[in-house]
Amino acid sequence: MGLATSFQGQPFKGKGKASDGSFNYHGLMKKKLGFAFACLWMTAPLVLAQATTPESTTPAAPSSLAQAKAAQASAPLSTLDSTLFYELLVGEITAQEGEAAVGFALLLDAARKTSDVQLYQRATDIALQARSGDAALQAALAWKQDVPASREANRYVLQILIALNRIAETLEPLKTEIRMAPDAERVAVLTAVPRAYARASDRKLAGSVVETALADYLGSPATASAAWTTAGRMRLAAGDSAGALDAAKRGQAADPRAEGPAVVALELMDPKMPEAETLVQKYLDDRQSTSKALPEIRMAYARTLLDAQRYPETTAQLHIVTRDKPDYPESWLILGTLQLQDNQLAQAQASLERYIALAQQAPQAQANPGLAQAYLSLSQLAEKRKDYAAAESWLGKIENSTDLAQAQTRRASILASQGKLDEGRSLIRQLPERTPEEARLKLNAEVGLLREFKQYRQAYDVLAQGVAKTPDDTDLLYEQSMLAEKLGALDEMERLLRQVILLKPDYHHAYNALGYSLADRNIRLPEARELIQKAVAFAPADPFIKDSLGWVEFRMGNKLEAAQIFEAAYKAKPDAEIAAHLGEVLWSLDQRDRAMAIWKEGQLINPDNETLLETLKRFKVKP
């Protein structure tokens, strides 16, 4: 139902008008007559075919000798008189010569005389191609009036009104479009409505018009779910999240197996609207959900969980997809990436190699950016195993030039792992710097490399050069503050973090970092708690921010509350640093066996975590 065009909304301006404003057909025909006879053998059969064949959705303009000859072979006999015949002929010729206004007028006149649907459509298409919305609407309305049973004419009127942003006038054409759709197509028509209105400037008005048109379908068992889904999408576009959620609920109640309500709910998923996720889970848990649609919805849910940093839940959903649909490539790629992040190296390698095998079977496999990501991850995995030859081999498989920067950065890390840090930095500095984005990529890559190998002073100096060029870049300022903390320059760290908060008051990482730093030093604890609580308000599902909150509660003597917070954080994200803190709180509560078990789990997750190693050293526990 979409109309991919934009209009000037102005009538045609062109040659050939008489003194009264009408078109001088006879003068024009005389002017074009010589050329017309020269082209007659090529164009006439197609024009005649247009005047006598049934309604079609394809505009029929002669565009080549081959088309004309094909039309001539199949053209039926015509009953057109000579005047109308020449009118059609000249109309087509003038339209092709660039005089759209003349061609439009001649063909519309011929359509009115013959009531021929193809001529109406051709005249409308000429106006559309000339970006004259008013003329296109004039032709489509004349077509609809002359042929009231034409669904195509009504659809043109609806599309043109939407494109002209005359939304209030679309109610009746929209009602007609839905009513005229065959029963087997009606759900598809309802589903397409939000796309048709996507460019409406007044989204609330568009939603009101659409819901009025849907009134007869919201309660019908055959269409209720699709109609409520459409209402939900229109409400969502208008910024009415609560209304969209209500529509999704009603749609799912009408048909629990329908995808549409779950898709609307996915777009609404937010910690402040937990009911949306409940709808998604209900759809996924329904064993009667269609097997064809289920993996796509489940993958969309997994991506939403991933964006919310809910990694264990993401992994659980991915395991279901890989079990139920093992030939679904993307699930293996994301699963392998998460397994690598959790140091599950054997599982990660199996998942990533499975993804590569599936992706290489697809057409144009080498253009797939996921392959480059998989090769980079496998290179990183090999580097963790200190198998540098394998790491380089995986990088060598990357052919897409846009991914070469990441490959070069990974090569730099491999060199640094072999004691060749300067050579690694040199590789990064050889990357192109044609745009600000490329310059930023180089800066981050070099700083990341130096941080990885604990060259904090050099990393700080490199980053300081970047901050000097873009002093209001909050991400760079935050990274600089973290490096200042590594160097023991805690006053500088606090100054930089407060600068970040001033520039971007919703930068939750800055609140969390400053609050945790105060709590870790056991100073200004009420202020530390206030800062971390602000971070929690911005990112309530972030397990690392919860870890900070648990730490400040522990420092303030609230051990039981701290233990509960750490338990929830560790369940959401099994991490070595969270394990260190949880174990310490458990130890202080005389739950020493449990503390030792948690610390051992943390060592399995990341044996090199500095916080965990320092904690074990303080409690004289051997790693």
Side-chain angles (χ1 to χ4, degrees):
M1 285 176 62
L3 185 67
T5 188
S6 59
F7 294 134
Q8 299 171 354
Q10 299 293 329
F12 279 120
K13 294 180 180 179
K15 303 175 184 177
K17 287 193 175 182
S19 59
D20 63 354
S22 63
F23 282 92
N24 183 353
Y25 300 133
H26 294 291
L28 278 167
M29 283 191 282
K30 286 179 181 178
K31 179 180 178 182
K32 303 289 185 181
L33 196 55
F35 178 69
F37 277 118
C39 298
L40 180 60
W41 70 274
M42 181 177 75
T43 61
L46 185 54
V47 174
L48 296 177
Q50 286 180 344
T52 55
T53 52
E55 180 174 1
S56 169
T57 60
T58 305
S63 58
S64 70
L65 182 60
Q67 286 178 314
K69 287 184 176 182
Q72 185 178 24
S74 59
L77 295 175
S78 173
T79 59
L80 294 176
D81 61 36
S82 59
T83 301
L84 186 56
F85 170 77
Y86 284 120
E87 189 173 340
L88 291 172
L89 177 62
V90 174
E92 281 293 345
I93 293 171
T94 52
Q96 290 182 65
E97 285 189 323
E99 296 182 28
V102 177
F104 167 80
L106 290 170
L107 288 169
L108 181 57
D109 183 67
R112 283 171 168 154
K113 289 175 180 177
T114 61
S115 296
D116 186 273
V117 293
Q118 281 207 332
L119 292 179
Y120 274 122
Q121 183 172 346
R122 180 65 180 138
T124 307
D125 286 341
I126 288 173
L128 291 174
Q129 291 161 10
R131 300 292 190 270
S132 179
D134 290 340
L137 184 59
Q138 175 193 356
L141 287 170
W143 176 8
K144 183 179 178 182
Q145 182 178 4
D146 200 2
V147 192
S150 172
R151 184 183 172 195
E152 191 71 11
N154 181 75
R155 186 179 295 156
Y156 265 73
V157 171
L158 175 60
Q159 292 173 341
I160 294 167
L161 285 171
I162 294 173
L164 290 171
N165 215 28
R166 291 162 61 170
I167 301 301
E169 299 173 52
T170 64
L171 177 58
E172 290 306 320
L174 178 58
K175 284 183 175 179
T176 302
E177 166 64 12
I178 299 171
R179 175 176 52 79
M180 295 180 76
D183 290 346
E185 296 179 17
R186 190 162 288 119
V187 167
V189 169
L190 291 170
T191 303
V193 169
R195 291 197 300 273
Y197 284 85
R199 295 184 181 179
S201 58
D202 189 336
R203 301 293 178 85
K204 289 185 178 179
L205 174 61
S208 175
V209 167
V210 169
E211 289 204 42
T212 301
L214 295 176
D216 294 338
Y217 305 96
L218 293 169
S220 170
T223 57
S225 184
W228 278 115
T229 297
T230 293
R233 296 196 70 81
M234 296 302 294
R235 292 175 184 180
L236 193 59
D240 180 9
S241 297
L245 179 62
D246 179 67
K249 287 179 180 178
R250 292 171 182 264
Q252 189 170 81
D255 183 1
R257 294 174 296 173
E259 292 179 10
V263 173
V264 173
L266 268 171
E267 294 189 39
L268 289 165
M269 266 187 61
D270 184 271
K272 297 178 182 179
M273 195 171 282
E275 291 176 277
E277 185 171 1
T278 301
L279 292 180
V280 177
Q281 291 172 334
K282 185 176 180 181
Y283 168 79
L284 293 173
D285 292 341
D286 186 346
R287 294 183 180 181
Q288 295 182 352
S289 297
T290 56
S291 58
K292 179 180 179 182
L294 192 58
E296 286 73 22
I297 302 297
R298 196 176 293 279
M299 277 303 302
Y301 180 44
R303 285 190 290 270
T304 304
L305 293 171
L306 185 64
D307 290 342
Q309 299 181 356
R310 294 165 58 180
Y311 302 125
E313 293 163 275
T314 306
T315 301
Q317 294 299 321
L318 293 170
H319 277 305
I320 295 173
V321 177
T322 55
R323 181 197 67 199
D324 293 347
K325 194 172 177 62
D327 59 346
Y328 198 98
E330 186 190 4
S331 60
W332 291 106
L333 176 61
I334 300 176
L335 179 60
T337 304
L338 289 175
Q339 288 167 334
L340 175 60
Q341 180 178 299
D342 286 340
N343 279 320
Q344 300 176 31
L345 301 188
Q347 298 94 320
Q349 178 141 4
S351 296
L352 292 167
E353 289 182 349
R354 174 66 173 156
Y355 167 76
I356 290 171
L358 291 170
Q360 287 178 334
Q361 296 172 11
Q364 299 179 332
Q366 293 306 317
N368 182 353
L371 276 172
Q373 182 183 338
Y375 293 143
L376 283 165
S377 295
L378 284 165
S379 174
Q380 183 181 356
L381 190 154
E383 186 183 348
K384 281 177 176 285
R385 290 173 168 165
K386 302 188 185 305
D387 187 349
Y388 303 121
E392 179 62 35
S393 175
W394 285 116
L395 291 178
K397 295 178 182 293
I398 296 175
E399 297 180 3
N400 191 331
S401 60
T402 59
D403 298 305
L404 289 178
Q406 288 179 281
Q408 196 80 320
T409 302
R410 181 51 49 198
R411 285 190 174 97
S413 178
I414 294 170
L415 285 171
S417 297
Q418 296 173 298
K420 303 175 183 177
L421 178 61
D422 290 341
E423 292 181 39
R425 294 179 69 183
S426 178
L427 273 182
I428 292 173
R429 290 181 174 181
Q430 290 171 19
L431 289 169
E433 196 172 328
R434 296 160 295 191
T435 65
E437 290 74 19
E438 289 182 343
R440 176 67 172 271
L441 179 65
K442 284 180 63 175
L443 175 68
N444 287 338
E446 186 171 3
V447 171
L449 180 69
L450 291 167
R451 279 188 63 125
E452 183 182 355
F453 291 92
K454 297 181 171 48
Q455 302 300 309
Y456 301 128
R457 170 52 63 185
Q458 294 181 65
Y460 184 91
D461 292 342
V462 170
L463 196 54
Q465 296 172 13
V467 171
K469 295 177 183 177
T470 55
D472 293 339
D473 190 316
T474 51
D475 289 333
L476 294 184
L477 286 166
Y478 177 79
E479 289 301 321
Q480 190 179 21
S481 74
M482 295 298 96
L483 288 168
E485 188 264 342
K486 290 290 186 184
L487 293 170
L490 301 179
D491 290 342
E492 176 68 1
M493 178 200 72
E494 181 169 346
R495 182 190 71 79
L496 290 167
L497 287 174
R498 293 197 181 280
Q499 187 177 347
V500 171
I501 292 170
L502 183 64
L503 289 169
K504 192 174 180 182
D506 62 347
Y507 202 106
H508 58 273
H509 294 301
Y511 292 104
N512 180 57
L514 182 53
Y516 178 79
S517 174
L518 295 174
D520 199 44
R521 287 178 280 156
N522 210 13
I523 61 172
R524 293 152 54 191
L525 295 179
E527 181 185 358
R529 177 198 270 169
E530 183 180 352
L531 287 164
I532 295 169
Q533 285 175 337
K534 284 184 179 179
V536 170
F538 286 119
D542 190 317
F544 296 107
I545 295 177
K546 288 181 180 178
D547 173 72
S548 298
L549 184 61
W551 195 236
V552 75
E553 293 293 349
F554 176 60
R555 290 295 202 193
M556 296 181 80
N558 304 320
K559 296 181 180 180
L560 291 175
E561 185 173 354
Q564 291 178 347
I565 295 172
F566 282 131
E567 292 277 14
Y570 189 67
K571 182 179 179 181
K573 174 63 178 175
D575 176 82
E577 185 157 339
I578 300 175
H581 291 152
L582 174 57
E584 183 163 348
V585 174
L586 293 171
W587 188 281
S588 72
L589 292 169
D590 291 327
Q591 298 181 34
R592 298 193 174 187
D593 290 342
R594 177 102 197 284
M596 290 291 293
I598 292 293
W599 283 335
K600 287 181 180 178
E601 287 180 17
Q603 287 179 280
L604 292 173
I605 294 168
N606 185 359
D608 299 322
N609 181 268
E610 293 178 2
T611 301
L612 179 58
L613 291 173
E614 187 275 332
T615 301
L616 296 176
K617 183 178 179 181
R618 269 193 295 116
F619 286 89
K620 299 179 180 179
V621 175
K622 292 184 178 181

